[in-house]
Amino acid sequence: GNTVAMEGTETFPSTSWQWSAIHLRLAARAASTAASTTDGRRDHSNSGAWRRLDASTVSEMRHNGTHMERVVHARWQCTFPEGKCFAHHAPLEGMPEKMDKCTQEHNKGALTVDMVIDLNCAGMGAQIDCNRIVPRSFDPFQMCNNDPLLVKATCHLECRRNVPYELCTFEFDTGKTYNMSDETVDSCNMEAVCKSPYIEQNEMFCSGHHTTKNHRPHWITEDRPWANRE
């Protein structure tokens, strides 16, 4: 079948290419969550905090000047009850770029990818004691209000020869609500920024190569990006 080349990546078959541009940021999020999962410090499963904020996702056909193409644009927030958003982001500087060599991925389908993340390679290994790993699954989006029908994940930790690894499965558009498999969707970008010590703003944008490349998250393009939430 057709293959699509993405900037800074290998050429992937059409059934697996479209997630390569965002898998590094997803892997970085999963890896950064892993360290606080070994002793349960991030277990807020009963708090419901991740559903208290509003999120939005748009999926529609737009004309790009030459032809119609699908745009999938999602915004959501993640909460940091202990006020550590900026501390959380500090070690992530540059991580998505280097995560490529720390991550192995296997596409189970056009909308599902398995990742194995070497946490030592990702710079998170020192925070994880293999003797204290809790043998349970966790959700790196647990404290986020993203629509699970758009993107969801399940991860767990394991050690191999005393090296901590994180194994995750990411699934996109499981309800076929957002038409992520549309043939005009070539690539995706995913960005995140702390709007306060307690709230992280996330944005995912998917469309054709040119449109996605030129898209900028709203906190860069808007004069007062948080005004409607103040």
Side-chain angles (χ1 to χ4, degrees):
N2 295 330
T3 58
V4 180
M6 302 192 69
E7 184 177 355
T9 69
E10 300 177 14
T11 300
F12 292 86
S14 57
T15 55
S16 62
W17 52 260
Q18 56 194 127
W19 311 123
S20 61
I22 64 171
H23 92 273
L24 299 180
R25 187 165 291 279
L26 290 172
R29 164 167 289 283
S32 65
T33 305
S36 59
T37 304
T38 57
D39 58 8
R41 284 175 295 160
R42 196 180 170 84
D43 186 6
H44 302 281
S45 57
N46 295 321
S47 70
W50 64 98
R51 296 301 173 197
R52 294 174 185 162
L53 300 172
D54 60 329
S56 64
T57 304
V58 174
S59 176
E60 60 186 15
M61 297 297 291
R62 298 178 186 172
H63 202 282
N64 66 3
T66 59
H67 62 274
M68 298 295 291
E69 65 182 1
R70 180 161 299 280
V71 170
V72 180
H73 188 192
R75 298 179 181 180
W76 68 87
Q77 299 85 31
C78 300
T79 60
F80 289 80
E82 298 176 355
K84 296 183 178 180
C85 185
F86 293 106
H88 167 85
H89 271 246
L92 300 184
E93 293 298 325
M95 180 180 281
E97 288 73 24
K98 74 176 182 180
M99 283 298 291
D100 194 20
K101 65 180 181 180
C102 305
T103 307
Q104 296 179 345
E105 67 172 273
H106 169 69
N107 291 280
K108 299 173 66 174
L111 301 170
T112 304
V113 60
D114 287 338
M115 295 185 195
V116 178
I117 306 165
D118 181 337
L119 295 176
N120 274 356
C121 175
M124 300 288 179
Q127 303 176 48
I128 298 175
D129 183 347
C130 279
N131 296 320
R132 299 184 62 194
I133 285 181
V134 178
R136 68 179 181 220
S137 297
F138 64 93
D139 177 4
F141 294 109
Q142 182 184 30
M143 298 302 293
C144 306
N145 70 335
N146 57 293
D147 185 346
L149 293 179
L150 175 67
V151 55
K152 64 180 179 180
T154 302
C155 302
H156 71 274
L157 301 176
E158 67 178 46
C159 280
R160 302 174 180 177
R161 298 181 179 178
N162 210 38
V163 175
Y165 286 84
E166 185 172 13
L167 289 74
C168 296
T169 297
F170 290 91
E171 298 177 85
F172 299 86
D173 198 15
T174 54
K176 310 301 180 186
T177 304
Y178 299 110
N179 296 297
M180 296 290 285
S181 57
D182 190 307
E183 63 181 5
T184 63
V185 178
D186 291 327
S187 60
C188 296
N189 286 337
M190 186 173 175
E191 302 289 343
V193 68
C194 295
K195 61 173 290 188
S196 79
Y198 300 94
I199 304 295
E200 178 190 69
Q201 183 71 31
N202 291 261
E203 183 167 309
M204 188 172 81
F205 185 91
C206 304
S207 191
H209 284 308
H210 182 74
T211 303
T212 300
K213 182 178 179 180
N214 289 326
H215 175 76
R216 296 293 180 269
H218 74 94
W219 54 83
I220 293 178
T221 60
E222 297 176 8
D223 290 335
R224 298 182 64 212
W226 316 127
N228 66 325
R229 298 183 180 91
E230 291 175 351

